[in-house]
Amino acid sequence: MKVLDAEFVKGFIRMTADGWDQGWHERNGGNLSYRIKPEEAESIKENFKPRDWQDIGTEVPALSGEFFLMTGSGKYFRNVQLDSEANICIIEVDETGTKYRILWGLRDGGRPTSELPSHLMNLEVKKKIDPNYRVVYHAHPANVIALTFVLPLDEKVFTRELWEMFTECPMVFPEGVGVVPWMVPGSREIAIATSKVMEKYDLAIWAHHGLFAAGVDFDATFGLMHLVEKSAEILVKVLSMTPQKAQTVQPDDFRHLAKDLDLTLSEEFLYEKPASPR
Ligand code: 13P
Ligand code: ZN
């Protein structure tokens, strides 16, 4: 089968197009990775032409021998749907988990996303927790980024504020969201910090930069990004109108929701707030 005829490749390309349509991918902003199932790799392996091994820049031993579909560094999400083979690639991780090689794609040259260490370390952490996790998505949604200049960079505050904006949030991400302080993009340090957050959450906000989401498939992962950005947009609108909400969902309301829907909502997010400003 041709690579572009495989369903997982079509799903990947659709997700990049959907992200572009949302306005989350100015220029080359954002990146996407998918841990390919063995039977999916088998179905397209006749197209693989291995290039040289390169350093990943970190170690992911639990991903050794696995195949990944990823966006290329410096490539525009806008162009993935127009010329996929030039803008995305399939890579293989070596037996030591420290090197990768390109097997397909990036037809005119290039390398996988500069956030390769973060993608692979997040995929590794998630695989260890639940092997069904396969997708890691990084985008630059404006409202989430705006909030990182206004709210304390504290996972308790971000989780609570996003939950309050609409009730789908605690239902879809009851474990909350994590926050990574500003760090150099593409570095091993930010990859380590993000993968630590991913041990607990499916969402890692990058202060003054963007958001990482992880999920079992393209729909779940895109939906998570979409939900958080929508919630952030509502909060930005509210804070633009008033520094203090006139009314909101209270800790006991969340406890009630958790009981009725059989959700686990950690008490760490259900703190009492001071009377002002939020
Ligand atoms: P890449 O073009 O290397 O994927 O980088 C984009 C980005 O968003 C970096 O954080
Ligand atoms: Zn980025």
Side-chain angles (χ1 to χ4, degrees), residues 30 115 138 140 209:
E115 305 295 358
H138 169 56
H140 295 171
H209 181 144

Side-chain angles (χ1 to χ4, degrees), residues 232-244:
E233 182 181 350
I234 299 169
L235 184 54
V236 167
K237 287 185 200 296
V238 171
L239 294 175
S240 308
M241 289 185 278
T242 171
Q244 182 143 24

Side-chain angles (χ1 to χ4, degrees), residues 21-232:
D21 289 344
Q22 291 295 328
W24 300 335
H25 299 284
E26 76 297 330
R27 206 172 178 280
N28 63 310
N31 20 76
L32 177 62
S33 62
Y34 172 73
R35 186 165 59 85
I36 301 172
K37 295 175 185 165
E39 65 273 20
E40 290 171 333
E42 185 66 29
S43 72
I44 54 166
K45 71 168 194 233
E46 74 219 39
N47 304 281
F48 292 169
K49 293 193 178 62
R51 294 175 212 168
D52 293 341
W53 291 106
Q54 309 283 345
D55 284 332
I56 293 170
T58 190
E59 313 83 46
V60 284
L63 298 182
S64 67
E66 293 224 45
F67 300 91
F68 302 85
L69 180 58
M70 355 232 342
T71 49
S73 184
K75 303 299 183 190
Y76 293 27
F77 266 47
R78 175 70 185 107
N79 293 334
V80 172
Q81 60 192 299
L82 304 175
D83 187 357
S84 307
E85 200 171 343
N87 292 287
I88 63 177
C89 61
I90 291 174
I91 64 163
E92 177 185 14
V93 170
D94 77 345
E95 287 311 312
T96 68
T98 62
K99 293 186 187 301
Y100 76 88
R101 62 179 174 180
I102 296 171
L103 299 175
W104 173 90
L106 291 174
R107 186 194 57 227
D108 307 325
R111 57 187 179 90
T113 172
S114 58
E115 305 295 358
L116 184 68
S118 282
H119 278 265
L120 293 182
M121 289 190 82
N122 292 344
L123 285 163
E124 183 182 48
V125 160
K126 286 300 180 191
K127 181 188 170 187
K128 285 181 184 165
I129 297 167
D130 178 354
N132 291 314
Y133 273 73
R134 297 197 169 270
V135 183
V136 167
Y137 181 32
H138 169 56
H140 295 171
N143 293 287
V144 171
I145 298 169
L147 288 177
T148 67
F149 294 92
V150 176
L151 298 181
L153 297 176
D154 178 339
E155 57 197 28
K156 293 187 187 60
V157 174
F158 268 88
T159 298
R160 175 68 171 278
E161 294 303 315
L162 292 169
W163 279 4
E164 280 184 32
M165 291 302 110
F166 63 123
T167 302
E168 270 75 8
C169 291
M171 290 162 64
V172 174
F173 54 96
E175 57 293 314
V177 304
V179 181
V180 176
W182 187 89
M183 294 170 89
V184 176
S187 63
R188 183 173 133 84
E189 288 68 33
I190 201 168
I192 291 169
T194 310
S195 61
K196 192 103 199 89
V197 164
M198 284 287 179
E199 286 174 8
K200 187 171 176 198
Y201 305 109
D202 287 344
L203 291 156
I205 292 171
W206 275 12
H208 323 319
H209 181 144
L211 179 61
F212 263 83
V216 295
D217 59 26
F218 298 122
D219 280 348
T221 314
F222 188 85
L224 208 46
M225 183 71 70
H226 205 183
L227 180 62
V228 171
E229 172 59 2
K230 178 91 177 273
S231 186

